[in-house]
Amino acid sequence: MTLQRETYEAVVRHREGAFVSERPALFSPAAAAQDPANAKGAYAPFAQILLPQEYTGWAEESTAHVRGCYLGDWTSLNKIEVSGPQALDFLSWLGMNDLSVFHDGQIKHHVQLDEHGWVASEGVLCRLGEEKFLYTAGSGDWLRWQFSMGNWDASVTDVSPDLFIFGVQGPESFAILQSVLGGNLRDLGFNRSRPAFANGVGVRVLRTGISGELGYEVHGPAAYANEVWKAIAGAGNVTLLGLRSQSVQHIEAGIATNGLDYLPAAILTPGAPTQFRRGKGPGGSFVPGNVTDYFRKPGELGWLRGRISSHDFLGRDALVADAGERKLVGLRWDNESVAAIAAGLFDGVEQMELPRLNGPSFDQILIDGVLRGVSTGRALSLTVGATISLGVLETAHTTPGTEVTVLWGRPGTTQREIPAVVTELPFKPDRRRTDVSR
């Protein structure tokens, strides 16, 4: 057993234990390579792993995916290998998206529902072979629990501590990885992957788009994470991306994130995410009547386009009966009102973390004083030039240009009403499918 796996399993086993004395500190397998650039020495948790908060500063890092290229660490994601004769059958039943056409190396969004049609987990599914798949997500516990209750001719293995995941995103990401991998990536289409070599290490390169820009992921053995990180970081004009700025790009791209913009329905089951420790709960002005008010139907997150797939999957009947009556939109907050929040510090007004809070926060969206939706993911986007957020809003009020009010501040604090305008998503042009074939 490697030290990385031993520490990972100890963290999972003692996730509510006292830090260090019971629950050990778990760092990225690339921590040694990352440390020289981490001048501030600040770390924060992404799931079980402690990652550098920032390298050069959040202002530079949060715009790197638009200006050039960043290298970021997503090793914290759960990585679940599903293999065997019925692996595809199980995954098809577990997810709402059609897997009937699924080629080797292809990548698909895998949205998993509970029996009520709420999103229980979601992530990326990559086909590695005829009977072998890799699911990467904020949590793989729902998948493992559902598998344990069936009788599938397949196996499920948590390989999270055995692999690294690095994000390489931005207009220069193609040129950077071309030089590192020493191979031609021109014919690697969006949502496709293939094996490659980085500094002599066998890896898999995936063309993805979490930033809304041209981009890739590099997966490989944790034992060689330092070598691969160094190779990519030294390949050109690469900005290292710290945890503080990682999720700003998701809001700009209109992508809702599990555990930040909604809570997974799995939290009420034995399939609850084990990598998230119990805490004080989400922040923000929104007060739920029930915990399910934090849950979302896939249609409310922009994940239900066209007809519901005809294949049999968990939660299908509930989804057909109720796909959700709200829609995901963007909100552009009034700059002057946001600036006044800082001036309200001495009046007890809750301050805004910059560029965004590294945790869940839900705020009321009001129209004429009436609650019409919920805002999440408030972020200061230097790319957009405004404070922005995602909003799940009653469909009747989702026309771009609609004026709304976001109530800022937790109950019991000095709250402020901030004007905002409904916008289409994404906030900036979608460049994920940039043609690099020529």
Side-chain angles (χ1 to χ4, degrees), residues 151-216:
N151 186 28
W152 303 92
D153 185 10
S155 63
V156 166
T157 306
D158 183 1
V159 296
S160 299
D162 306 325
L163 299 173
F164 67 75
I165 296 179
F166 299 153
V168 185
Q169 301 269 322
E172 296 181 21
S173 59
F174 169 76
I176 293 294
L177 282 185
Q178 278 273 84
S179 66
V180 173
L181 302 178
N184 194 340
L185 296 179
R186 291 193 181 279
D187 62 341
L188 184 62
F190 182 64
N191 279 340
R192 294 294 191 274
S193 72
R194 70 160 60 123
F197 286 91
N199 205 32
V201 178
V203 299
R204 176 170 287 270
V205 58
L206 300 79
R207 183 166 173 187
T208 60
I210 58 170
S211 65
E213 303 289 333
L214 171 66
Y216 302 85

Short mmCIF file of all heavy atoms in Angstrom, two decimals, residues 151-216:
data_model
loop_
_atom_site.label_atom_id
_atom_site.label_comp_id
_atom_site.label_asym_id
_atom_site.label_seq_id
_atom_site.Cartn_x
_atom_site.Cartn_y
_atom_site.Cartn_z
N ASN A 151 -27.03 -6.83 -7.97
CA ASN A 151 -26.36 -8.11 -8.21
C ASN A 151 -25.79 -8.07 -9.62
O ASN A 151 -26.21 -8.82 -10.50
CB ASN A 151 -27.33 -9.27 -8.02
CG ASN A 151 -26.63 -10.62 -8.13
OD1 ASN A 151 -25.44 -10.73 -7.85
ND2 ASN A 151 -27.37 -11.63 -8.56
N TRP A 152 -24.83 -7.18 -9.82
CA TRP A 152 -24.27 -6.94 -11.13
C TRP A 152 -23.01 -7.77 -11.34
O TRP A 152 -22.19 -7.91 -10.42
CB TRP A 152 -23.93 -5.46 -11.31
CG TRP A 152 -25.08 -4.54 -11.09
CD1 TRP A 152 -25.44 -3.93 -9.92
CD2 TRP A 152 -26.04 -4.11 -12.07
NE1 TRP A 152 -26.56 -3.15 -10.10
CE2 TRP A 152 -26.95 -3.24 -11.41
CE3 TRP A 152 -26.22 -4.37 -13.43
CZ2 TRP A 152 -28.01 -2.64 -12.07
CZ3 TRP A 152 -27.27 -3.76 -14.09
CH2 TRP A 152 -28.15 -2.92 -13.42
N ASP A 153 -22.84 -8.29 -12.53
CA ASP A 153 -21.62 -9.02 -12.88
C ASP A 153 -20.55 -7.99 -13.27
O ASP A 153 -20.23 -7.80 -14.45
CB ASP A 153 -21.89 -9.99 -14.03
CG ASP A 153 -20.68 -10.86 -14.35
OD1 ASP A 153 -19.71 -10.85 -13.57
OD2 ASP A 153 -20.72 -11.54 -15.40
N ALA A 154 -20.06 -7.30 -12.26
CA ALA A 154 -19.10 -6.22 -12.47
C ALA A 154 -18.40 -5.94 -11.14
O ALA A 154 -18.76 -6.53 -10.11
CB ALA A 154 -19.80 -4.97 -12.99
N SER A 155 -17.44 -5.06 -11.16
CA SER A 155 -16.75 -4.66 -9.93
C SER A 155 -16.59 -3.15 -9.90
O SER A 155 -16.52 -2.49 -10.94
CB SER A 155 -15.37 -5.34 -9.84
OG SER A 155 -14.53 -4.91 -10.90
N VAL A 156 -16.55 -2.62 -8.68
CA VAL A 156 -16.37 -1.18 -8.47
C VAL A 156 -15.20 -0.98 -7.53
O VAL A 156 -15.15 -1.58 -6.45
CB VAL A 156 -17.66 -0.55 -7.88
CG1 VAL A 156 -17.36 0.83 -7.34
CG2 VAL A 156 -18.75 -0.49 -8.93
N THR A 157 -14.24 -0.15 -7.94
CA THR A 157 -13.03 0.06 -7.15
C THR A 157 -12.75 1.55 -7.00
O THR A 157 -12.76 2.29 -8.00
CB THR A 157 -11.81 -0.61 -7.83
OG1 THR A 157 -12.10 -1.98 -8.08
CG2 THR A 157 -10.58 -0.51 -6.94
N ASP A 158 -12.50 1.98 -5.77
CA ASP A 158 -12.13 3.36 -5.53
C ASP A 158 -10.62 3.51 -5.78
O ASP A 158 -9.79 3.03 -5.01
CB ASP A 158 -12.46 3.74 -4.08
CG ASP A 158 -12.16 5.20 -3.78
OD1 ASP A 158 -11.71 5.92 -4.68
OD2 ASP A 158 -12.36 5.62 -2.61
N VAL A 159 -10.27 4.16 -6.88
CA VAL A 159 -8.87 4.35 -7.24
C VAL A 159 -8.43 5.80 -7.00
O VAL A 159 -7.41 6.25 -7.53
CB VAL A 159 -8.60 3.94 -8.70
CG1 VAL A 159 -8.84 2.45 -8.89
CG2 VAL A 159 -9.46 4.75 -9.67
N SER A 160 -9.19 6.52 -6.17
CA SER A 160 -8.94 7.95 -5.95
C SER A 160 -7.50 8.27 -5.57
O SER A 160 -6.89 9.18 -6.14
CB SER A 160 -9.90 8.50 -4.90
OG SER A 160 -11.24 8.38 -5.32
N PRO A 161 -6.91 7.55 -4.60
CA PRO A 161 -5.54 7.92 -4.20
C PRO A 161 -4.46 7.44 -5.16
O PRO A 161 -3.28 7.78 -4.99
CB PRO A 161 -5.39 7.25 -2.84
CG PRO A 161 -6.27 6.06 -2.92
CD PRO A 161 -7.44 6.47 -3.75
N ASP A 162 -4.86 6.67 -6.16
CA ASP A 162 -3.87 6.08 -7.07
C ASP A 162 -3.62 6.92 -8.32
O ASP A 162 -2.67 6.66 -9.06
CB ASP A 162 -4.33 4.68 -7.50
CG ASP A 162 -4.64 3.79 -6.32
OD1 ASP A 162 -3.93 3.91 -5.29
OD2 ASP A 162 -5.59 2.99 -6.41
N LEU A 163 -4.48 7.91 -8.56
CA LEU A 163 -4.39 8.71 -9.78
C LEU A 163 -4.36 10.19 -9.46
O LEU A 163 -4.98 10.65 -8.50
CB LEU A 163 -5.59 8.43 -10.69
CG LEU A 163 -5.79 7.01 -11.22
CD1 LEU A 163 -7.11 6.92 -11.96
CD2 LEU A 163 -4.64 6.62 -12.13
N PHE A 164 -3.67 10.96 -10.28
CA PHE A 164 -3.77 12.42 -10.22
C PHE A 164 -4.65 12.90 -11.36
O PHE A 164 -4.81 12.20 -12.39
CB PHE A 164 -2.39 13.08 -10.27
CG PHE A 164 -1.65 12.92 -11.58
CD1 PHE A 164 -2.00 13.66 -12.71
CD2 PHE A 164 -0.57 12.05 -11.69
CE1 PHE A 164 -1.32 13.52 -13.92
CE2 PHE A 164 0.12 11.91 -12.89
CZ PHE A 164 -0.25 12.65 -14.00
N ILE A 165 -5.22 14.07 -11.20
CA ILE A 165 -5.96 14.74 -12.27
C ILE A 165 -5.50 16.19 -12.31
O ILE A 165 -5.66 16.93 -11.34
CB ILE A 165 -7.49 14.70 -12.05
CG1 ILE A 165 -8.00 13.27 -12.09
CG2 ILE A 165 -8.20 15.54 -13.12
CD1 ILE A 165 -9.50 13.16 -11.86
N PHE A 166 -4.91 16.60 -13.42
CA PHE A 166 -4.48 17.98 -13.61
C PHE A 166 -5.32 18.61 -14.72
O PHE A 166 -5.54 18.00 -15.77
CB PHE A 166 -3.00 18.06 -13.99
CG PHE A 166 -2.06 17.51 -12.95
CD1 PHE A 166 -0.81 17.01 -13.33
CD2 PHE A 166 -2.40 17.50 -11.61
CE1 PHE A 166 0.07 16.51 -12.38
CE2 PHE A 166 -1.53 17.00 -10.65
CZ PHE A 166 -0.30 16.50 -11.03
N GLY A 167 -5.78 19.83 -14.49
CA GLY A 167 -6.49 20.58 -15.51
C GLY A 167 -5.53 21.52 -16.23
O GLY A 167 -4.74 22.22 -15.59
N VAL A 168 -5.60 21.51 -17.55
CA VAL A 168 -4.78 22.41 -18.38
C VAL A 168 -5.76 23.09 -19.33
O VAL A 168 -6.20 22.50 -20.31
CB VAL A 168 -3.69 21.65 -19.15
CG1 VAL A 168 -2.79 22.61 -19.91
CG2 VAL A 168 -2.87 20.77 -18.20
N GLN A 169 -6.10 24.35 -19.05
CA GLN A 169 -7.18 25.01 -19.77
C GLN A 169 -6.76 26.39 -20.24
O GLN A 169 -6.01 27.10 -19.57
CB GLN A 169 -8.40 25.14 -18.86
CG GLN A 169 -8.96 23.83 -18.31
CD GLN A 169 -10.03 23.22 -19.19
OE1 GLN A 169 -10.86 23.93 -19.76
NE2 GLN A 169 -10.02 21.90 -19.30
N GLY A 170 -7.29 26.78 -21.39
CA GLY A 170 -7.04 28.10 -21.94
C GLY A 170 -6.62 28.03 -23.39
O GLY A 170 -6.30 26.96 -23.92
N PRO A 171 -6.59 29.15 -24.08
CA PRO A 171 -6.29 29.16 -25.52
C PRO A 171 -4.91 28.61 -25.86
O PRO A 171 -4.70 28.14 -26.98
CB PRO A 171 -6.41 30.64 -25.91
CG PRO A 171 -6.34 31.40 -24.62
CD PRO A 171 -6.92 30.51 -23.59
N GLU A 172 -3.96 28.64 -24.93
CA GLU A 172 -2.63 28.11 -25.19
C GLU A 172 -2.45 26.68 -24.69
O GLU A 172 -1.35 26.12 -24.78
CB GLU A 172 -1.57 29.03 -24.56
CG GLU A 172 -1.54 30.44 -25.15
CD GLU A 172 -0.48 31.31 -24.51
OE1 GLU A 172 0.47 30.76 -23.92
OE2 GLU A 172 -0.60 32.55 -24.59
N SER A 173 -3.52 26.07 -24.18
CA SER A 173 -3.41 24.72 -23.60
C SER A 173 -3.01 23.69 -24.66
O SER A 173 -2.25 22.76 -24.36
CB SER A 173 -4.72 24.31 -22.95
OG SER A 173 -5.80 24.31 -23.88
N PHE A 174 -3.49 23.85 -25.87
CA PHE A 174 -3.15 22.91 -26.94
C PHE A 174 -1.65 22.91 -27.19
O PHE A 174 -0.99 21.86 -27.23
CB PHE A 174 -3.92 23.26 -28.21
CG PHE A 174 -3.46 22.52 -29.43
CD1 PHE A 174 -3.78 21.19 -29.63
CD2 PHE A 174 -2.67 23.16 -30.39
CE1 PHE A 174 -3.33 20.50 -30.75
CE2 PHE A 174 -2.23 22.50 -31.51
CZ PHE A 174 -2.56 21.15 -31.69
N ALA A 175 -1.08 24.09 -27.37
CA ALA A 175 0.35 24.19 -27.67
C ALA A 175 1.19 23.68 -26.50
O ALA A 175 2.22 23.01 -26.70
CB ALA A 175 0.71 25.64 -27.99
N ILE A 176 0.76 23.99 -25.29
CA ILE A 176 1.50 23.55 -24.10
C ILE A 176 1.55 22.03 -24.04
O ILE A 176 2.62 21.42 -23.87
CB ILE A 176 0.86 24.11 -22.82
CG1 ILE A 176 1.00 25.63 -22.76
CG2 ILE A 176 1.47 23.47 -21.58
CD1 ILE A 176 2.41 26.14 -22.63
N LEU A 177 0.39 21.38 -24.18
CA LEU A 177 0.36 19.92 -24.07
C LEU A 177 0.99 19.25 -25.28
O LEU A 177 1.56 18.15 -25.15
CB LEU A 177 -1.08 19.44 -23.88
CG LEU A 177 -1.63 19.61 -22.46
CD1 LEU A 177 -3.01 18.99 -22.34
CD2 LEU A 177 -0.70 18.98 -21.42
N GLN A 178 0.91 19.87 -26.44
CA GLN A 178 1.60 19.31 -27.61
C GLN A 178 3.09 19.15 -27.31
O GLN A 178 3.71 18.13 -27.62
CB GLN A 178 1.43 20.23 -28.81
CG GLN A 178 0.13 20.06 -29.56
CD GLN A 178 0.20 18.97 -30.63
OE1 GLN A 178 0.02 17.80 -30.32
NE2 GLN A 178 0.45 19.36 -31.86
N SER A 179 3.67 20.16 -26.67
CA SER A 179 5.10 20.13 -26.39
C SER A 179 5.44 19.13 -25.29
O SER A 179 6.47 18.47 -25.34
CB SER A 179 5.60 21.53 -26.00
OG SER A 179 5.03 21.95 -24.77
N VAL A 180 4.54 18.99 -24.31
CA VAL A 180 4.80 18.08 -23.19
C VAL A 180 4.59 16.63 -23.59
O VAL A 180 5.40 15.75 -23.25
CB VAL A 180 3.89 18.42 -21.99
CG1 VAL A 180 4.03 17.37 -20.89
CG2 VAL A 180 4.23 19.80 -21.44
N LEU A 181 3.52 16.36 -24.34
CA LEU A 181 3.17 14.99 -24.69
C LEU A 181 3.93 14.48 -25.91
O LEU A 181 3.95 13.28 -26.16
CB LEU A 181 1.66 14.88 -24.92
CG LEU A 181 0.78 15.29 -23.73
CD1 LEU A 181 -0.69 15.17 -24.11
CD2 LEU A 181 1.08 14.46 -22.50
N GLY A 182 4.49 15.42 -26.66
CA GLY A 182 5.28 15.02 -27.82
C GLY A 182 4.49 14.28 -28.87
O GLY A 182 5.02 13.49 -29.64
N GLY A 183 3.18 14.52 -28.89
CA GLY A 183 2.33 13.84 -29.87
C GLY A 183 1.32 14.80 -30.45
O GLY A 183 1.16 15.93 -29.98
N ASN A 184 0.62 14.36 -31.47
CA ASN A 184 -0.34 15.20 -32.16
C ASN A 184 -1.70 15.11 -31.50
O ASN A 184 -2.32 14.04 -31.46
CB ASN A 184 -0.44 14.77 -33.64
CG ASN A 184 -1.14 15.82 -34.46
OD1 ASN A 184 -1.86 16.67 -33.93
ND2 ASN A 184 -0.95 15.77 -35.76
N LEU A 185 -2.17 16.23 -30.99
CA LEU A 185 -3.50 16.29 -30.37
C LEU A 185 -4.53 16.90 -31.30
O LEU A 185 -5.67 17.10 -30.89
CB LEU A 185 -3.43 17.11 -29.08
CG LEU A 185 -2.56 16.57 -27.95
CD1 LEU A 185 -2.60 17.54 -26.76
CD2 LEU A 185 -3.04 15.19 -27.51
N ARG A 186 -4.15 17.18 -32.53
CA ARG A 186 -5.07 17.91 -33.41
C ARG A 186 -6.35 17.15 -33.70
O ARG A 186 -7.40 17.75 -33.93
CB ARG A 186 -4.36 18.27 -34.72
CG ARG A 186 -3.27 19.31 -34.55
CD ARG A 186 -2.81 19.90 -35.87
NE ARG A 186 -1.75 20.88 -35.67
CZ ARG A 186 -1.95 22.14 -35.32
NH1 ARG A 186 -3.18 22.57 -35.15
NH2 ARG A 186 -0.93 22.96 -35.16
N ASP A 187 -6.28 15.81 -33.72
CA ASP A 187 -7.48 15.05 -34.04
C ASP A 187 -8.22 14.58 -32.80
O ASP A 187 -9.16 13.78 -32.90
CB ASP A 187 -7.12 13.85 -34.92
CG ASP A 187 -6.18 12.87 -34.21
OD1 ASP A 187 -5.54 13.28 -33.23
OD2 ASP A 187 -6.11 11.70 -34.64
N LEU A 188 -7.83 15.06 -31.61
CA LEU A 188 -8.54 14.69 -30.38
C LEU A 188 -9.71 15.65 -30.20
O LEU A 188 -9.54 16.82 -29.84
CB LEU A 188 -7.61 14.76 -29.17
CG LEU A 188 -8.21 14.29 -27.84
CD1 LEU A 188 -8.63 12.82 -27.91
CD2 LEU A 188 -7.23 14.51 -26.69
N GLY A 189 -10.91 15.15 -30.47
CA GLY A 189 -12.09 16.00 -30.42
C GLY A 189 -12.58 16.25 -29.01
O GLY A 189 -12.14 15.61 -28.04
N PHE A 190 -13.51 17.17 -28.87
CA PHE A 190 -14.11 17.48 -27.58
C PHE A 190 -14.82 16.25 -27.02
O PHE A 190 -15.47 15.51 -27.74
CB PHE A 190 -15.09 18.64 -27.73
CG PHE A 190 -15.72 19.09 -26.44
CD1 PHE A 190 -14.95 19.63 -25.43
CD2 PHE A 190 -17.09 18.95 -26.25
CE1 PHE A 190 -15.52 20.04 -24.24
CE2 PHE A 190 -17.68 19.36 -25.06
CZ PHE A 190 -16.89 19.91 -24.05
N ASN A 191 -14.65 16.03 -25.72
CA ASN A 191 -15.21 14.86 -25.03
C ASN A 191 -14.64 13.54 -25.55
O ASN A 191 -15.32 12.52 -25.60
CB ASN A 191 -16.74 14.84 -25.09
CG ASN A 191 -17.36 15.75 -24.04
OD1 ASN A 191 -16.73 16.11 -23.06
ND2 ASN A 191 -18.62 16.11 -24.25
N ARG A 192 -13.36 13.59 -25.92
CA ARG A 192 -12.64 12.38 -26.30
C ARG A 192 -11.33 12.33 -25.51
O ARG A 192 -10.84 13.34 -25.01
CB ARG A 192 -12.33 12.36 -27.81
CG ARG A 192 -13.55 12.26 -28.70
CD ARG A 192 -14.26 10.92 -28.51
NE ARG A 192 -15.28 10.66 -29.53
CZ ARG A 192 -16.53 11.08 -29.46
NH1 ARG A 192 -16.90 11.83 -28.44
NH2 ARG A 192 -17.39 10.77 -30.41
N SER A 193 -10.77 11.12 -25.40
CA SER A 193 -9.52 10.95 -24.66
C SER A 193 -8.65 9.90 -25.33
O SER A 193 -9.14 9.13 -26.17
CB SER A 193 -9.82 10.53 -23.21
OG SER A 193 -10.27 9.18 -23.17
N ARG A 194 -7.37 9.87 -24.95
CA ARG A 194 -6.47 8.85 -25.47
C ARG A 194 -5.25 8.74 -24.56
O ARG A 194 -4.90 9.68 -23.85
CB ARG A 194 -6.03 9.19 -26.88
CG ARG A 194 -5.10 10.37 -27.01
CD ARG A 194 -4.34 10.34 -28.35
NE ARG A 194 -5.26 10.38 -29.47
CZ ARG A 194 -5.26 11.30 -30.42
NH1 ARG A 194 -4.36 12.28 -30.37
NH2 ARG A 194 -6.10 11.26 -31.41
N PRO A 195 -4.58 7.59 -24.60
CA PRO A 195 -3.33 7.43 -23.85
C PRO A 195 -2.23 8.30 -24.46
O PRO A 195 -2.25 8.60 -25.66
CB PRO A 195 -3.00 5.95 -23.98
CG PRO A 195 -4.28 5.29 -24.41
CD PRO A 195 -5.01 6.32 -25.22
N ALA A 196 -1.28 8.71 -23.63
CA ALA A 196 -0.16 9.51 -24.10
C ALA A 196 0.99 9.34 -23.11
O ALA A 196 0.87 8.61 -22.11
CB ALA A 196 -0.56 10.97 -24.23
N PHE A 197 2.09 10.02 -23.38
CA PHE A 197 3.24 9.99 -22.48
C PHE A 197 3.65 11.42 -22.16
O PHE A 197 3.77 12.26 -23.06
CB PHE A 197 4.43 9.25 -23.10
CG PHE A 197 4.24 7.75 -23.14
CD1 PHE A 197 3.67 7.14 -24.25
CD2 PHE A 197 4.60 6.96 -22.05
CE1 PHE A 197 3.48 5.78 -24.30
CE2 PHE A 197 4.41 5.59 -22.08
CZ PHE A 197 3.85 4.99 -23.21
N ALA A 198 3.86 11.68 -20.87
CA ALA A 198 4.32 12.99 -20.41
C ALA A 198 5.61 12.78 -19.63
O ALA A 198 5.60 12.16 -18.57
CB ALA A 198 3.27 13.66 -19.53
N ASN A 199 6.70 13.28 -20.18
CA ASN A 199 8.00 13.11 -19.53
C ASN A 199 8.31 11.64 -19.27
O ASN A 199 8.89 11.27 -18.25
CB ASN A 199 8.03 13.90 -18.21
CG ASN A 199 9.43 14.29 -17.78
OD1 ASN A 199 10.28 14.53 -18.63
ND2 ASN A 199 9.66 14.34 -16.49
N GLY A 200 7.89 10.79 -20.20
CA GLY A 200 8.12 9.36 -20.09
C GLY A 200 7.14 8.60 -19.25
O GLY A 200 7.24 7.38 -19.10
N VAL A 201 6.15 9.29 -18.70
CA VAL A 201 5.15 8.66 -17.84
C VAL A 201 3.87 8.42 -18.64
O VAL A 201 3.37 9.32 -19.32
CB VAL A 201 4.84 9.56 -16.62
CG1 VAL A 201 3.74 8.94 -15.76
CG2 VAL A 201 6.10 9.81 -15.79
N GLY A 202 3.33 7.21 -18.55
CA GLY A 202 2.08 6.91 -19.22
C GLY A 202 0.92 7.64 -18.57
O GLY A 202 0.68 7.50 -17.37
N VAL A 203 0.18 8.43 -19.35
CA VAL A 203 -0.95 9.20 -18.85
C VAL A 203 -2.12 9.05 -19.83
O VAL A 203 -1.99 8.44 -20.88
CB VAL A 203 -0.60 10.70 -18.70
CG1 VAL A 203 0.53 10.89 -17.70
CG2 VAL A 203 -0.24 11.32 -20.06
N ARG A 204 -3.26 9.62 -19.46
CA ARG A 204 -4.39 9.73 -20.38
C ARG A 204 -4.75 11.21 -20.48
O ARG A 204 -4.91 11.89 -19.47
CB ARG A 204 -5.60 8.93 -19.90
CG ARG A 204 -6.85 9.11 -20.79
CD ARG A 204 -7.94 8.12 -20.43
NE ARG A 204 -7.61 6.77 -20.87
CZ ARG A 204 -7.92 6.26 -22.05
NH1 ARG A 204 -8.59 6.98 -22.94
NH2 ARG A 204 -7.59 5.03 -22.37
N VAL A 205 -4.87 11.71 -21.71
CA VAL A 205 -5.24 13.09 -21.93
C VAL A 205 -6.69 13.14 -22.39
O VAL A 205 -7.10 12.38 -23.28
CB VAL A 205 -4.30 13.79 -22.94
CG1 VAL A 205 -4.29 13.06 -24.29
CG2 VAL A 205 -4.70 15.24 -23.14
N LEU A 206 -7.48 13.99 -21.75
CA LEU A 206 -8.91 14.13 -22.04
C LEU A 206 -9.15 15.56 -22.51
O LEU A 206 -8.67 16.51 -21.87
CB LEU A 206 -9.77 13.84 -20.82
CG LEU A 206 -9.69 12.46 -20.16
CD1 LEU A 206 -8.45 12.32 -19.26
CD2 LEU A 206 -10.95 12.22 -19.32
N ARG A 207 -9.92 15.71 -23.56
CA ARG A 207 -10.29 17.06 -23.98
C ARG A 207 -11.62 17.42 -23.31
O ARG A 207 -12.67 16.85 -23.65
CB ARG A 207 -10.38 17.18 -25.50
CG ARG A 207 -10.70 18.61 -25.91
CD ARG A 207 -10.50 18.90 -27.35
NE ARG A 207 -10.99 20.26 -27.63
CZ ARG A 207 -11.09 20.79 -28.84
NH1 ARG A 207 -10.71 20.09 -29.90
NH2 ARG A 207 -11.55 22.02 -28.99
N THR A 208 -11.55 18.33 -22.38
CA THR A 208 -12.72 18.72 -21.59
C THR A 208 -12.90 20.23 -21.67
O THR A 208 -12.18 20.91 -22.40
CB THR A 208 -12.54 18.28 -20.13
OG1 THR A 208 -11.37 18.93 -19.59
CG2 THR A 208 -12.37 16.77 -20.02
N GLY A 209 -13.83 20.77 -20.89
CA GLY A 209 -14.07 22.21 -21.00
C GLY A 209 -14.68 22.84 -19.77
O GLY A 209 -15.61 23.63 -19.88
N ILE A 210 -14.16 22.52 -18.58
CA ILE A 210 -14.75 23.08 -17.36
C ILE A 210 -14.60 24.59 -17.29
O ILE A 210 -15.31 25.25 -16.52
CB ILE A 210 -14.13 22.45 -16.10
CG1 ILE A 210 -12.62 22.65 -16.09
CG2 ILE A 210 -14.48 20.98 -16.01
CD1 ILE A 210 -11.98 22.27 -14.78
N SER A 211 -13.70 25.15 -18.08
CA SER A 211 -13.48 26.60 -18.06
C SER A 211 -14.33 27.32 -19.10
O SER A 211 -14.36 28.55 -19.11
CB SER A 211 -12.01 26.91 -18.32
OG SER A 211 -11.65 26.50 -19.64
N GLY A 212 -14.98 26.56 -19.97
CA GLY A 212 -15.69 27.19 -21.09
C GLY A 212 -14.75 27.58 -22.20
O GLY A 212 -15.15 28.21 -23.18
N GLU A 213 -13.48 27.19 -22.08
CA GLU A 213 -12.46 27.49 -23.08
C GLU A 213 -11.88 26.19 -23.62
O GLU A 213 -12.20 25.10 -23.13
CB GLU A 213 -11.32 28.32 -22.44
CG GLU A 213 -11.76 29.62 -21.80
CD GLU A 213 -12.18 30.68 -22.81
OE1 GLU A 213 -11.68 30.63 -23.95
OE2 GLU A 213 -12.98 31.56 -22.45
N LEU A 214 -11.03 26.28 -24.64
CA LEU A 214 -10.26 25.13 -25.08
C LEU A 214 -9.50 24.58 -23.89
O LEU A 214 -8.86 25.34 -23.16
CB LEU A 214 -9.29 25.55 -26.18
CG LEU A 214 -8.24 24.50 -26.62
CD1 LEU A 214 -8.91 23.33 -27.29
CD2 LEU A 214 -7.21 25.15 -27.53
N GLY A 215 -9.59 23.26 -23.65
CA GLY A 215 -8.89 22.75 -22.48
C GLY A 215 -8.82 21.24 -22.43
O GLY A 215 -9.48 20.53 -23.20
N TYR A 216 -8.00 20.78 -21.50
CA TYR A 216 -7.72 19.35 -21.37
C TYR A 216 -7.58 18.98 -19.89
O TYR A 216 -7.40 19.83 -19.02
CB TYR A 216 -6.41 19.00 -22.09
CG TYR A 216 -6.41 19.35 -23.56
CD1 TYR A 216 -6.07 20.63 -23.99
CD2 TYR A 216 -6.76 18.40 -24.52
CE1 TYR A 216 -6.07 20.97 -25.34
CE2 TYR A 216 -6.76 18.72 -25.88
CZ TYR A 216 -6.42 20.01 -26.27
OH TYR A 216 -6.44 20.33 -27.61
#
